[in-house]
């Protein structure tokens, strides 16, 4: 049996929290408050994200349990294999890889957009072409590409360095959020009456809140980076659930603060009607001038950096796990000879995402919207596998499963929540229903997946189950699961 590569246990608890929190918040907290308020009103956004965080925590129960049981790289890919076998693992991993890579690319484009707003003379150099109404400039493409290469290099240099930098970025980000909130509510021209009306006029409060809940999987995606790094914890995996909950609560609180900070500056409907590119940037500029915008931009940079770094970590670990299982080429399982990082996955992520800036931000947003389906599918797999690991009572026959009606109920709520998020994306007329360009992008990705699957199917089927178990889980499987065989372990329950 070929030797199994393993990652070093170097990540500290506060670094892992930073990976989850920083990835979940990212640049959206600074850039999108105006878009969110236009859909639901200030209070609608705050309530919607609060409910979304609670639903994510319900999903996080399943993640916490599975991280403790299977502390290996790969996250949902490994869980899908454990519960349903190799073909489901491929399906889950294929969609999740797309979701993670898209977010890496989107963060890089967000940095270019920031420079375009603050230093337009730098970013808007060398007009190349127009895609979907978006002018693509050589300057903004160069900025995005430099960011992608820089963070790839940072991650190749070691998980300790990327973990420490992530924590520093997050602390700076939190400080910037608090400063933004305090400075805006204390400004003489600010008033809480500007938050009126609390909900979007002409839309029921319930519909407004649901519109925000529908985008929660996108807004909070990043907490699921924790299981991708589980193999590198230098602490007990039992702490994972607490870190997930803390990251989600901090993210929801952060979104609420930026909404209030933006809305108190001037009547929020007036701000929306102005059609400004960056509403939060405009209100800060009106209140504090260039210095205020520079400080806000610095905080926004930290949000972009946390997203870039966090999703480089998760994408490369997912590719590493899939390569180690031979579902992807084994080259992805190689570790750097000096830094012992999954450098092939990091380099591959960098190379693929370097193409994204050339397609313009509008086209990239279509793909990102579609990739939300991939992330939601991963949530669903995680919750279903966790649900099937518990029994309601002693009377059920399968003795390999734990009796815990409370945990089974919580994981059931996670299944329902993740399924509900998926339906919001695919059911026509729902608030999160994907647009036509996103469906086209999804169709292309499915076709590519089917082609890749048809090429790899015979090789994948030929791998002995014992070999695949070892490559995915190492020595983490308990004796009962190992003797039953992970691919049939849960299925025996239904026999």
């Amino acid at each position: 049996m070929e030797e199994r590569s393993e990652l070093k246990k170097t990540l500290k608890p506060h670094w892992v929290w930073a990976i989850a929190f920083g990835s979940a918040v990212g640049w959206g907290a600074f850039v999108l408050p105006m878009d969110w308020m236009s859909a639901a009103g200030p209070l609608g956004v705050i309530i919607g994200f609060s409910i979304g965080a609670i639903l994510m925590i319900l999903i996080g129960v399943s993640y916490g349990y599975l991280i403790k049981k299977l502390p290996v790289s790969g996250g949902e890919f490994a869980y899908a294999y454990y519960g349903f076998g190799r073909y489901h693992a491929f399906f889950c991993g294929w969609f999740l890889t797309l979701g993670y890579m898209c977010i890496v690319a989107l963060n890089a484009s967000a940095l270019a957009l920031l420079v375009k707003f603050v230093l337009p003379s730098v970013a808007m150099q060398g007009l190349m072409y127009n895609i979907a109404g978006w002018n693509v400039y050589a300057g903004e493409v160069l900025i995005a590409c430099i960011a992608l290469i820089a963070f790839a290099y940072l991650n190749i240099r070691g998980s300790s360095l990327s973990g420490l930098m992530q924590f520093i970025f997050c602390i700076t980000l939190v400080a910037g959020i608090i400063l933004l909130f305090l400075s805006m509510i204390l400004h003489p021209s600010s008033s809480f009456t500007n938050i009126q009306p609390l909900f979007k006029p002409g839309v029921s409060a319930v519909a407004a809140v649901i519109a925000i809940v529908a985008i929660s999987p996108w807004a909070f995606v990043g907490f699921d980076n924790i299981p991708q790094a589980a193999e590198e914890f230098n602490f007990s995996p039992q702490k994972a659930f607490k870190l997930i909950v803390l990251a989600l609560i901090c993210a929801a609180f952060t979104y609420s603060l930026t909404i209030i900070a933006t809305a108190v500056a001037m009547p929020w409907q007036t701000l929306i009607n102005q059609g400004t590119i960056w509403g939060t940037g405009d209100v800060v500029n009106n209140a504090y001038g260039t210095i205020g915008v520079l400080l806000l931009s610095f905080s926004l940079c930290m949000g972009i950096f946390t997203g870039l770094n966090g999703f480089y970590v998760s994408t490369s670990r997912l590719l590493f796990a899939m390569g180690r299982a031979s579902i992807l080429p084994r080259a992805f399982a190689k570790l750097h000879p000096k830094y012992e990082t999954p450098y092939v996955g990091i380099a591959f992520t960098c190379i693929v995402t370097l193409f994204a800036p050339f397609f313009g931000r509008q086209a990239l947003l279509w793909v990102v919207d579609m990739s939300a389906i991939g992330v939601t599918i991963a949530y669903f797999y995680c919750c279903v596998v966790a649900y099937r690991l518990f029994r309601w009572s002693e009377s059920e026959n399968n003795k390999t499963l734990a009796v815990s009606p409370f945990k089974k109920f919580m994981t059931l709520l996670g299944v329902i929540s993740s399924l509900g998020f998926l339906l919001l994306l695919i059911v026509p007329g729902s608030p999160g229903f994907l647009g036509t360009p996103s469906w086209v992008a999804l169709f292309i990705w499915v076709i590519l997946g089917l082609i890749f699957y048809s090429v790899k199917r015979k090789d994948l089927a030929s791998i002995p189950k014992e070999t695949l178990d070892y490559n995915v889980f190492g020595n983490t499987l308990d004796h009962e699961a190992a003797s039953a065989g992970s691919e049939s372990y849960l299925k025996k329950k239904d026999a």
Side-chain angles (χ1 to χ4, degrees):
M1 187 178 294
E2 189 173 347
E3 184 179 356
R4 181 179 185 270
S5 301
E6 294 187 359
L7 299 171
K8 293 175 65 176
K9 298 184 181 300
T10 58
L11 294 179
K12 300 177 182 180
H14 55 287
W15 294 355
V16 174
W17 167 83
I19 289 173
F21 167 71
S23 301
V25 174
W27 54 271
F30 296 93
V31 175
L32 298 176
M34 189 179 70
D35 294 342
W36 294 332
M37 286 191 291
S38 68
L43 187 58
V45 177
I46 294 172
I47 294 175
F49 278 141
S50 299
I51 294 173
I54 293 171
L55 295 176
M56 289 293 115
I57 289 173
L58 291 177
I59 293 172
V61 171
S62 298
Y63 277 94
Y65 179 74
L66 289 174
I67 291 170
K68 182 173 66 174
K69 190 174 186 66
L70 301 169
V72 295
S73 292
E76 299 92 337
F77 160 76
Y79 309 152
Y81 172 71
Y82 184 75
F84 297 99
R86 60 191 74 191
Y87 303 117
H88 284 271
F90 171 83
F91 176 78
C92 180
W94 181 259
F95 275 98
L96 193 57
T97 300
L98 172 71
Y100 285 164
M101 281 193 176
C102 284
I103 299 173
V104 172
L106 188 63
N107 274 280
S109 75
L111 182 62
L113 189 64
L114 171 63
V115 177
K116 200 172 185 177
F117 181 86
V118 179
L119 298 170
S121 60
V122 174
M124 299 174 70
Q125 288 287 334
L127 176 62
M128 297 191 295
Y129 42 76
N130 182 287
I131 293 183
W134 184 271
N135 289 328
V136 180
Y137 293 91
E140 63 179 335
V141 170
L142 182 62
I143 291 167
C145 289
I146 290 173
L148 290 167
I149 294 170
F151 277 90
Y153 177 73
L154 172 67
N155 275 268
I156 289 174
R157 287 292 302 270
S159 57
S160 293
L161 177 60
S162 60
L164 174 61
M165 293 306 297
Q166 183 80 358
F167 183 68
I168 293 172
F169 293 151
C170 276
I171 293 302
T172 309
L173 169 64
V174 170
I177 292 284
I178 293 174
L179 179 62
L180 168 67
F181 175 74
L182 293 177
S183 61
M184 291 309 300
I185 65 172
L186 294 176
H187 193 273
S189 65
S190 296
S191 172
F192 281 97
T193 60
N194 291 331
I195 297 180
Q196 299 288 343
L198 298 177
F199 297 93
K200 180 181 179 180
V203 176
S204 71
V206 173
V209 169
I210 290 177
I212 300 300
V213 172
I215 64 172
S216 292
W218 179 88
F220 291 110
V221 64
F223 83 87
D224 53 311
N225 289 349
I226 288 182
Q228 298 299 339
E231 190 170 313
E232 298 165 85
F233 290 177
N234 73 349
F235 55 92
S236 171
Q238 292 183 342
K239 294 183 179 180
F241 178 62
K242 293 180 180 178
L243 294 174
I244 288 173
V245 172
L246 183 60
L248 287 168
I249 291 174
C250 290
F253 193 61
T254 296
Y255 286 134
S256 298
L257 291 183
T258 55
I259 289 295
I260 295 171
T262 304
V264 297
M266 62 185 296
W268 64 271
Q269 288 180 289
T270 302
L271 180 63
I272 290 170
N273 292 334
Q274 288 177 353
T276 178
I277 297 176
W278 184 18
T280 304
D282 279 353
V283 298
V284 170
N285 184 47
N286 293 337
Y288 295 101
T290 304
I291 296 298
V293 172
L294 289 176
L295 291 174
L296 177 64
S297 300
F298 181 73
S299 299
L300 173 53
C301 269
M302 294 301 102
I304 294 171
F305 290 170
T306 58
L308 270 171
N309 192 55
F311 282 100
Y312 255 120
V313 170
S314 58
T315 309
S316 60
R317 272 56 176 181
L318 175 59
L319 293 172
F320 170 76
M322 294 177 73
R324 191 165 58 183
S326 297
I327 286 180
L328 292 179
R330 290 285 295 183
F332 284 99
K334 290 183 178 180
L335 297 180
H336 194 280
K338 180 179 179 180
Y339 303 117
E340 298 185 67
T341 51
Y343 71 102
V344 176
I346 296 169
F348 179 78
T349 301
C350 180
I351 291 169
V352 171
T353 54
L354 280 173
F355 289 97
F358 291 90
F359 289 93
R361 186 170 176 83
Q362 190 60 46
L364 180 59
L365 286 173
W366 296 338
V367 180
V368 171
D369 289 345
M370 172 269 294
S371 70
I373 287 183
V375 176
T376 308
I377 287 172
Y379 292 164
F380 179 74
Y381 266 110
C382 177
C383 294
V384 169
V385 172
Y387 172 78
R388 298 181 71 188
L389 284 171
F390 298 107
R391 287 182 291 159
W392 289 111
S393 67
E394 291 282 1
S395 61
E396 294 184 61
N397 292 328
N398 197 322
K399 302 303 180 184
T400 61
L401 305 181
V403 178
S404 180
F406 176 73
K407 288 182 178 178
K408 194 169 183 70
F409 177 68
M410 294 298 290
T411 56
L412 176 61
L413 291 179
V415 171
I416 295 170
S417 298
S418 55
L419 185 60
F421 285 131
L422 183 61
L423 292 175
L424 285 171
L425 292 169
I426 64 176
V427 174
S430 68
F433 183 66
L434 298 179
T436 300
S438 297
W439 282 110
V440 172
L442 178 62
F443 177 76
I444 293 172
W445 186 249
V446 169
I447 294 299
L448 290 174
L450 290 173
I451 293 172
F452 187 81
Y453 173 76
S454 65
V455 172
K456 291 286 294 182
R457 188 178 188 279
K458 288 185 178 180
D459 292 337
L460 183 58
S462 67
I463 303 172
K465 180 182 65 59
E466 293 77 11
T467 301
L468 202 51
D469 283 354
Y470 177 71
N471 286 340
V472 175
F473 304 119
N475 298 316
T476 60
L477 282 179
D478 58 63
H479 177 71
E480 282 185 312
S483 62
S486 62
E487 288 189 291
S488 58
Y489 178 47
L490 292 178
K491 293 177 184 178
K492 285 189 174 184
K493 177 178 181 293
D494 301 323

